[in-house]
Structures are given as C-alpha cells and as structure tokens.
Amino acid sequence: MYDSFWLHLSLVLTAVATLFYLPALSKEGIRSVALRLGQGCLVVATLALTYAAFGRYDSQVWTDAAPLLLSVFVLWIALFATFVLKTKMIGLFASPLVTLLLFIHAFFFPATQTYLTIDDPTAQYLAGFHVLFAVIGEALFAAAAGLAALYLWQHRALRRKQISKAIYQGLPLDKLESWLIKSLWCGFAFLTIGLVLGAIYTQAYLQVRPEGLTAKIAWALATWGWYLGTLNARYNLNRLPSAIARMALWGFVLLAVSMFGLGFFRISGVGPA
Amino acid sequence: MMRRLNIYCIGCSHKTADSAVRDILYIDDEQLRLSMPRVQAQFQISEMMVLSTCNRFEIYLAGPPERIDEQMLFDLLLALHTGNQALARFNQNELEKLFYVYSERAAVTHVMNVASGIDSLVIGETQITGQFKDAIELARELETVGPILSRFAQEALALTKSVRTKTAIGQRSVSVGSAAAELVNLVFGDISKHDVAIVGAGEMARLAAQHILKQKPRQLFIANRTVQKAVELCRELGAGKACSLDEMPRLLVDADVVIAATSAVGFLIQRNGVEHALAARRGSPLCLVDIAMPRDIDPAVEDFENVYHFDIDDLQQVVDRNFEGRRQALEEASGLVTAAAEQFDTWMMHQHVRPLLADFDRYIADLMSQELQKTLRKGSFSNLTAEQLKALDTMLRSVQRKIVADAGEQIRNPPDGYFKDQLAEALGALFLSEGKAQKEKNDASA
C-alpha cells in the first residue's frame, strides 16, 4: 500500500489522541478510559508513521522526510516515557506536537505523488466536509466567545459585589464555565477534524499548493494552536476559569480580526494572497 | 330552621403587640388540647380553632351572630388563658388596644391574608402556612371544628397555594439564610455537585444549613469549636458531618462553599489559610459567605481572583431587593384573596340558604296541602275523580317548586339595591316558623 495511507492514518490517530488527552469529560472513569484510548491511538500512530517515514526516506526526498522523522522520534520518546518511565501524561504534549508537525508537513510539503484522481467523488466529499467541519468549529468558538463574555460579566459583578448587576440569575458561574469549556472542546474537535480532512485532501489531490493558501493555513494552524493552548491551560495547567474566559474571548477577537485582515489582503491583493 | 353562622376572629400580631406581649399570649399545643374543648363547651361555640405562633395569637370562630359579640370574644380569649397571671394584669382598655376583632367578610379576608403569608412580618414567608395547617389539624383532632371552619381552612390553604404559584410573593428570599443560599447559587447553580461547610452551630448556622440542605449538597460539614454542638445540629438537621475547627484547612480544600456563622471574635478564616487552600484546589472556585457578626472571614480573601466572598452587607442587598419584589406582588396577591373571600362568602350563603329554602319549601307544601283539603271539603269539589285530584296535586306541586326556586334564585342573585342577607332574613321573618311566630305574637299584642 502506498505510504501516504500510513501517513494519513498516523495524522488521524495523533489528532484523535490530542482530543483524548484533553480531559474534557468530568467523570473520573470516563477520563481514565479516554486516557487509555489516547495512549492506544499514540501507539498505532507511532507504528504507522514509522512505516510511512521510512517509506519517504527510501524515496530520497530529504526535505519531505525530515518532519516525518522528527515526528517519529518524538513519538517513540513519548511511548518510551509512557510505558517504561510511566510518565502517562507525556502524550498530552507529544500528540499535539506531532499533529502540528504532520499538519505542517501535509500543508507545506506537497505530495510527490497523488494516489487518487481528482475525478474521484471522494475528493469532493473531503473538500466539502473539510469546509463544513472547520466552519462548525469556528461557529463554536464564536459561541464560546459569547459565553466567555457572559462569564466575565457575572464574575466581575460578583467580585465587585454588585449583586443587582449579576442579572443572569439563571446562569450561575459554574454552568457558564461548563458551557464555555464544552463549546471550546467541541469547537476544537471540529476544527481538528476539518484540518485533518484538509491535510488529507491537500496530500491526496494537490501536487502543487496554491500560493494564496499560505496565509490561510497559517491562520488555521494558529487558531488550532490557540484553542489547544486554551484547553490545556484549563485542564492541565489548572488556570482559573476567568483566565480561560479571557483567552477564549480575546483569542476569538484576535483571530476574527486576523481572518478579516486575511480577507482584506486577498481582496486588495496587498498580502501574500 | 338552621341558624346562620358567621366567621369571627380575635387576635393580636406583630402589628399590634410587641414580642413580650406575644410571649405572654403564646399557648403550646399541649395546653390547647386541654383548654380548647373546655372553652368551646363553656361558651357553646359551634366551631373554633386557635393559631398560636411567636408572631401572632388568633382565635377563629364560627357561630350564630346573635350569640357572639366583642365582649364575648374577649371573655373567650381570657378563658383560654385561664391561669395566665401576666395576661390577667391587662385591663379591658389595654386588651382592646392590643387585639383586633373581625367578623364576617373582614374576618374571612384577614384569615386568608394570614394563611397565605401576606400579613406576616416577612411578607410571603411559608412558615405561617405550616402553622395554620397544624392549627386546623389540632382543631380537627379535638373536634372543635365542623363543616364551616374545615371548609374555611381548606379554602384558605388552597388560596395559599394559588398565591404562591400565581404571584411572585414567595419567589424571592428575604431571610439572611435564604439570601446566602441565593448568593451561593450565583456561583454554583447546582449545589448537589459540591460540598458545603457551615462554620458554627448556632441559630444563624442552623438557618443557613436548613436553606442549603433544601438544595441537597453533595456533602454538608458542620464545623464548630465545640464538636458536640456540631453533632447536635447535625442530628437536628438529619444530615451533615460534624467536625472541629481544627479541620478548617481541609474543609477549605474539600468544600466549594463555606458559610461562616459563629459568634467568635476575630477571623476564623484568614487570608493565608485561603491562599494555601487555593493552591490545592487546582483552580476550582471557592465561595465564602460570612453571615457572622462580628465577621469570621478576613475580607482580604477578596484579593484572590477565584474567591467569591460575600458578607452580611451583600446579603442585605439581596434581602432588600427581594423585599421590594414581594411588595410589588402584594397587590396581585390581595386580588386573589378578595376573590377567594368572595367565593367563600357565597358558599357560606348557600349553606345558610339551603336549609332556609328547605323550610320554605315545607311551609309552602303545608300551606297548599291545607288549602287543598279546605277546597276539597267544599261541595262542588267533593266528587272529583282520582285522575282530576292527581292533576290538581301535580299543578300545586309545580307552583310550589316554582315559588321556592324563584325565591332561591332571588336570594342568591339579589336585584340591585338588595343584599343576600337581607332577602334571606326577610324570607325567614315573613314565612318561616320563628319569624312567623314572632309576627303573630306582635300582631296579637298589638
């Protein structure tokens, strides 16, 4: 089988492991199952990527193989730390790092060989679902920004003891925080799936990446990284809910502004697009 | 003929008497068990019940108007307090200033206001409804109430439910304990997922714990300097885990809500204690409510971003705002009371009119029967056939029914310028035995 399949499989699995390593589910039992699933995904992804990377190595395309070899190296260290050194949470850092490397590889290193023809309807589905998932993810981030604003309003009113200003009596802080985190997690999951589909599409059908996509891809990866950081700040760095709300709100504002900026550059022809 | 029964009320409340007087008047259930049947028999009252709480003492009666007057009500009140030396020191004038007396519609409206919490010190409070229920239960047990007061209590309790569901009168908390719970709910909407610690085992702590327990916290800790008192409070509440104040550092880590209500001087919960706890809480918020006077929680805890600290002044904001909300709902509730009082009045009238109309029916039937016999004895009607006699009888019965039905309809729905009572009394006076006998007696003496 062509090595791209193993490459794509490892991308999917590291992306899924990234989601599993975010303990979004509050119940301890479910979290433990999610952790085990994350570790399982990481093991399979390591094997698949090792196979894919050595396939590329044989093809003598060094610039192409370098990020893959780096990813393999990171993954094997992660597995060693997880199973030998019993550092179970190493995958928390390894899986998003490798996912990001694979995204960069997929988007910035065009495939040397496409393995499906453009006439294949799968291509249309891949492109369609890529857009759909990414848009849903961004919509959820917009919702998270709204919830974050509400949270900060309530938080501020209660901290300043302006009880009459805490107008949303039916929306206590813990409920707002819970909705905020859920919408961030779901948004992140949708965006991750959207990016994975985009990466596969790029690798499978685009031998030459259009120049105009560079800024868009950079923006999408920055968005992905920002929300990954936000979720990790809450779950793994135990940052306060108010800090998470600020990250969700200002992050969305900055990303929205930069997206409009991208659009403006593309329309006016000033920027890279 | 059944006599008309009216509702009467004599009592005093927080509006007319201070707590010292109310303490004197208070009678517990055990005493009432002894005195109520005795007084009822002594005064030959048809029905009576007593509502005795810390904020009011009221006697409700149902009886014929001609037998009950204000003086009799005061005598009855004193008879219930036989042996109460403190009350005996009050003279009639002083008693009249302390007590209010209501009769008929005014009494009905007053009692409905009382039962639904409209007349309470804390408008819309629910405790009075429970006390009213207990009072009617006791009266039923002692058999001092009959159909009138039973029905009346039933109507009053139904009204209470309606006032609570249809108006905002009871929706907002107006006690410090409930306001504390309301503030906690702004931070943690569902307390069942969180542990709560109450610091102190006094009255304020008990009230706060009762309000918190209504929301079923995951676990309730009662911490007190004297652990035995905390154990007793847990036993009284039927929930909670007692612990000593030495366990405070652990409680600040485990519990998400801490309500402090001790009478201790100095801060029991200090800034550095909270700082240590926050480090172990992994970013989860902490809600600290201080309802103690002097304060138990160092206000410097507000420096921490993840701490929501409220003290008695913040609770007062909630109480004041909610009081205002209840006042606004009062008008709406009063409308419901008026409607319920009117409905009960109509029921009372029916109770009075039904036997009256039955008597009137009998009177007309007797009259017609007598007149028919007289007529039949006359020669021209002596040879009527059985069929003709039956037809004549049917016609007379029909006329009888029509007269009685028309009279009933007129009493129930009197024409403009007339009152139900007036018409009922007039019917009794004109046609029925007592009224007629009185009239005949007057005619004879004239």
Side-chain angles (χ1 to χ4, degrees), chain B residues 233-249:
Chain B
L233 181 56
C234 288
R235 198 175 298 137
E236 186 192 331
L237 295 168
K241 192 177 168 194
C243 44
S244 83
L245 288 183
D246 297 339
E247 292 180 65
M248 211 56 232

Side-chain angles (χ1 to χ4, degrees), chain A residues 31 151 154-155 158-159 161-164 166 168-169 171-175 177 234-236 238-243 246, chain B residues 182-190 194 282-285 301-311 314 317-318 321:
Chain A
R31 285 176 67 163
Y151 180 93
Q154 287 284 74
H155 169 76
L158 292 177
R159 293 269 306 145
K161 303 184 173 206
Q162 295 164 328
I163 310 299
S164 56
Y168 301 103
Q169 298 286 335
L171 290 177
L173 280 177
D174 64 339
K175 197 182 274 184
E177 189 209 344
R234 178 71 193 117
Y235 289 127
N236 301 306
N238 296 323
R239 293 303 304 272
L240 304 182
S242 52
R246 281 187 200 105
Chain B
E182 193 175 314
L183 276 180
V184 168
N185 283 146
L186 285 176
V187 182
F188 300 112
D190 183 3
H194 302 275
R282 299 164 61 88
S284 74
V301 297
E302 289 170 15
D303 294 347
F304 302 113
E305 174 82 1
N306 215 22
V307 171
Y308 300 93
H309 170 240
F310 306 107
D311 61 19
D314 306 317
Q317 277 189 61
V318 177
R321 187 191 59 182

Side-chain angles (χ1 to χ4, degrees), chain B residues 126-432:
Chain B
T126 53
Q127 200 182 5
I128 187 67
T129 308
Q131 289 163 333
F132 186 84
K133 265 185 202 167
D134 293 343
I136 185 68
E137 282 307 316
L138 180 68
R140 280 184 186 137
E141 184 192 320
L142 298 173
E143 296 179 348
T144 60
V145 288
I148 303 289
L149 281 186
S150 282
R151 171 74 183 229
F152 180 44
Q154 192 185 326
E155 294 283 331
L157 291 171
L159 167 76
T160 300
K161 203 172 175 184
S162 161
V163 165
R164 298 219 164 271
T165 51
K166 290 180 183 166
T167 73
I169 202 159
Q171 283 172 6
R172 293 169 163 215
S173 47
V174 288
S175 70
V176 169
S178 54
E182 193 175 314
L183 276 180
V184 168
N185 283 146
L186 285 176
V187 182
F188 300 112
D190 183 3
I191 296 208
S192 67
K193 293 176 185 163
H194 302 275
D195 292 351
V196 178
I198 308 275
V199 185
E203 182 58 17
M204 288 298 276
R206 188 178 62 82
L207 287 171
Q210 280 172 340
H211 283 286
I212 286 292
L213 273 175
K214 282 182 197 164
Q215 301 185 31
K216 299 184 173 65
R218 188 169 57 191
Q219 198 162 1
L220 177 72
F221 299 99
I222 309 278
N224 196 48
R225 199 178 299 281
T226 314
V227 181
Q228 187 52 36
K229 282 190 179 172
V231 171
E232 281 165 19
L233 181 56
C234 288
R235 198 175 298 137
E236 186 192 331
L237 295 168
K241 192 177 168 194
C243 44
S244 83
L245 288 183
D246 297 339
E247 292 180 65
M248 211 56 232
R250 180 184 64 80
L251 288 179
L252 284 172
V253 175
D254 292 348
D256 293 324
V257 179
V258 178
I259 300 177
T262 76
S263 52
V265 178
F267 298 134
L268 288 176
I269 298 172
Q270 296 189 343
R271 189 184 186 280
N272 58 354
V274 173
E275 191 172 15
H276 286 305
L278 289 177
R281 291 178 60 84
R282 299 164 61 88
S284 74
L286 176 63
C287 182
L288 300 173
V289 185
D290 193 349
I291 56 175
M293 196 56 79
R295 289 187 288 185
D296 282 341
I297 301 175
D298 184 355
V301 297
E302 289 170 15
D303 294 347
F304 302 113
E305 174 82 1
N306 215 22
V307 171
Y308 300 93
H309 170 240
F310 306 107
D311 61 19
I312 202 87
D313 294 335
D314 306 317
L315 298 179
Q316 198 55 47
Q317 277 189 61
V318 177
V319 170
D320 291 346
R321 187 191 59 182
N322 291 353
F323 250 130
E324 195 45 47
R326 285 191 176 198
R327 260 190 262 281
Q328 284 166 6
L330 204 57
E331 202 175 316
E332 214 177 326
S334 298
L336 292 174
V337 169
T338 307
E342 200 165 300
Q343 198 179 332
F344 182 72
D345 232 21
T346 308
W347 180 83
M348 283 284 281
M349 175 53 69
H350 286 183
Q351 295 307 106
H352 175 49
V353 168
R354 201 177 295 147
L356 183 77
L357 290 177
D359 287 347
F360 185 53
D361 188 53
R362 265 195 302 278
Y363 167 73
I364 299 284
D366 291 347
L367 193 68
M368 287 192 169
S369 180
Q370 285 166 19
E371 292 304 313
L372 181 64
Q373 293 307 319
K374 271 190 212 168
T375 307
L376 290 179
R377 278 199 290 275
K378 288 178 184 167
S380 52
F381 291 100
S382 58
N383 48 6
L384 288 178
T385 63
E387 206 170 294
Q388 286 168 325
L389 278 172
K390 195 179 171 188
L392 195 57
D393 189 59
T394 306
M395 184 200 74
L396 290 173
R397 294 284 162 221
S398 174
V399 170
Q400 171 200 336
R401 271 198 300 275
K402 187 140 181 52
I403 291 170
V404 174
D406 283 354
E409 183 57 32
Q410 291 297 313
I411 292 171
R412 285 185 193 106
N413 302 302
D416 289 346
Y418 292 90
F419 294 100
K420 294 170 183 178
D421 281 2
Q422 282 179 328
L423 293 180
E425 272 173 33
L427 184 73
L430 287 172
F431 300 107
L432 302 181

Side-chain angles (χ1 to χ4, degrees), chain A residues 115-166:
Chain A
Y115 62 91
L116 289 173
T117 64
I118 199 73
D119 301 330
D120 196 317
T122 313
Q124 302 307 318
Y125 283 121
L126 269 178
F129 280 115
H130 156 69
V131 172
L132 179 69
F133 276 77
V135 167
I136 291 174
E138 281 158 25
L140 285 164
F141 291 143
L147 287 167
L150 273 179
Y151 180 93
L152 290 170
W153 174 280
Q154 287 284 74
H155 169 76
R156 190 181 150 104
L158 292 177
R159 293 269 306 145
R160 292 184 174 190
K161 303 184 173 206
Q162 295 164 328
I163 310 299
S164 56
K165 280 196 174 178

